[in-house]
Amino acid sequence: MESSSAVHIPVRSISLPSRLQPTFHNIESELRKLRSWESTVPSGSETIQLRLVRVAGLYNCLQELIHSPLTQKALHRHQYPNLVEEAFDGSVELLDVCGNARDLFFMMKEHVNDLQSALRRRGGSSSIEGNIQAYICFRKKVIKKDITKCIKTLKRMETNDIESFPVMDSDHLSFLVKVIREVRAITRSMLRSLMLFLSVPVMKTKGSGWLLVSKLLLTSERSQKTLNELGAVDAAVYTIHGQIRRNNDDAKVDVQEVQKRLERLDGRIKGFEGELDCLFRCLIQNRVSLLNLVTP
């Protein structure tokens, strides 16, 4: 189920002196928009994908800032080397979480495509059931292990950011570190939204009860509106799985519904994959740029 109550990471507004270059103000404007979305816009899949695009754009602005003459001049004075090193240290875990998210969506797409192929072939029930079982096992494993790990990492990063030493000075380098921290806070929040998208609860009821639950989710218009594309597929998959195991001939009707939902989910996953690839490249470039700053 899509969550409109994703954990909000508090970020401070940056008061920028007018003498600093316009890139600072462009970043602050984007940060303000993204913060506003966090508090007012439900975290649906379309919103998450749009946030991915905007966050990648933030890193492009950040690159301009890092390579600006003002930054280079400030570094040559060697006033606050520890500030830049602190900003650099946080880049590895963010890259790891983004990379893990890419891997999860790639594996999700493989299972979706396998299930689509099995349903198109219209083979025996045992063949379809094998693919459904593989899908269900993958979903449970992802929620229990991979997503939990990523969310814990994001939470630890948030704690470390809060506990890191404050930046009180008003020079260019200090403002650069403030901007980096805020951009990362927004990135963490967005990645958490992605994990919440993937962590739609897999239904866990006993006997034939789960079949009734999934049927209700499949037919209730209100319930369908509260499910993201992944939750809608879960509901349909559990329904057809129960029908196959009970040798229910009506399963053919539900197969068509599963195919429609799988197609929508496949399209959403491809969109997420493309934007995550873009963000991952931006994070790598950002890390390389910061590495060049801290390397004599």
Side-chain angles (χ1 to χ4, degrees):
M1 182 179 298
E2 295 204 21
S3 171
S4 60
S5 59
V7 178
H8 174 67
I9 298 179
V11 285
R12 297 178 302 275
S13 178
I14 305 173
S15 300
L16 299 172
S18 58
R19 63 183 173 82
L20 295 179
Q21 62 187 53
T23 305
F24 267 130
H25 300 284
N26 293 337
I27 292 176
E28 171 64 8
S29 176
E30 284 299 306
L31 285 169
R32 198 158 38 240
K33 290 176 185 177
L34 287 166
R35 291 189 210 112
S36 175
W37 287 359
E38 282 185 337
S39 59
T40 62
V41 181
S43 189
S45 54
E46 292 184 4
T47 303
I48 297 172
Q49 192 169 338
L50 182 56
R51 287 176 67 195
L52 269 168
V53 175
R54 304 300 285 264
V55 169
L58 272 176
Y59 279 95
N60 289 330
C61 291
L62 195 55
Q63 284 295 99
E64 295 179 19
L65 197 57
I66 291 172
H67 293 290
S68 70
L70 281 173
T71 300
Q72 302 303 318
K73 183 178 179 180
L75 283 170
H76 284 315
R77 292 199 296 265
H78 298 289
Q79 289 179 326
Y80 306 103
N82 290 336
L83 290 181
V84 181
E85 290 177 6
E86 180 260 342
F88 172 74
D89 290 340
S91 62
V92 178
E93 289 181 311
L94 208 56
L95 257 176
D96 286 342
V97 174
C98 185
N100 288 336
R102 283 199 319 169
D103 294 342
L104 288 175
F105 276 102
F106 176 78
M107 291 186 288
M108 188 74 221
K109 183 177 69 175
E110 286 191 323
H111 282 278
V112 167
N113 292 160
D114 288 345
L115 198 49
Q116 285 177 307
S117 298
L119 294 174
R120 280 195 297 265
R121 289 195 301 268
R122 296 295 181 92
S125 296
S126 60
S127 174
I128 297 177
E129 185 178 6
N131 288 100
I132 290 177
Q133 286 279 24
Y135 173 88
I136 292 173
C137 289
F138 168 74
R139 291 281 292 119
K140 290 180 178 179
K141 174 181 176 294
V142 162
I143 292 175
K144 183 177 181 180
K145 182 179 177 182
D146 301 279
I147 293 176
T148 300
K149 180 181 178 182
C150 287
I151 291 178
K152 285 182 178 179
T153 299
L154 291 170
K155 182 62 178 178
R156 184 174 64 250
M157 291 177 65
E158 178 186 351
T159 301
N160 291 342
D161 217 17
I162 293 173
E163 293 177 351
S164 60
F165 52 86
V167 182
M168 303 301 295
D169 299 275
S170 59
D171 72 325
H172 177 88
L173 200 56
S174 297
F175 276 113
L176 172 62
V177 175
K178 287 182 182 179
V179 168
I180 291 173
R181 287 180 180 177
E182 295 229 14
V183 171
R184 285 183 179 168
I186 288 293
T187 307
R188 290 195 302 268
S189 177
M190 183 271 301
L191 289 172
R192 182 183 285 106
S193 295
L194 276 175
M195 293 300 108
L196 291 175
F197 174 88
L198 284 170
S199 63
V200 174
V202 176
M203 297 163 213
K204 297 179 181 179
T205 55
K206 296 181 179 180
S208 60
W210 66 265
L211 179 59
L212 176 61
V213 172
S214 56
K215 270 183 173 291
L216 289 173
L217 285 170
L218 199 60
T219 57
S220 168
E221 182 179 352
R222 180 179 179 182
S223 295
Q224 288 187 38
K225 288 181 179 179
T226 63
L227 293 172
N228 63 28
E229 294 89 344
L230 186 52
V233 166
D234 280 355
V237 165
Y238 269 82
T239 297
I240 192 173
H241 188 219
Q243 291 175 331
I244 289 174
R245 299 186 70 175
R246 290 159 53 124
N247 296 318
N248 191 330
D249 292 335
D250 291 336
K252 292 182 179 179
V253 177
D254 288 331
V255 165
Q256 295 176 358
E257 181 61 28
V258 175
Q259 287 174 324
K260 291 179 183 178
R261 296 186 180 206
L262 284 169
E263 185 176 349
R264 288 194 289 268
L265 177 59
D266 185 51
R268 182 61 64 193
I269 290 174
K270 288 177 180 176
F272 279 143
E273 276 194 310
E275 302 307 336
L276 278 169
D277 280 339
C278 180
L279 178 61
F280 189 77
R281 290 193 297 271
C282 288
L283 289 172
I284 289 177
Q285 292 172 354
N286 179 252
R287 177 169 170 77
V288 170
S289 297
L290 290 174
L291 177 62
N292 291 334
L293 289 183
V294 299
T295 302

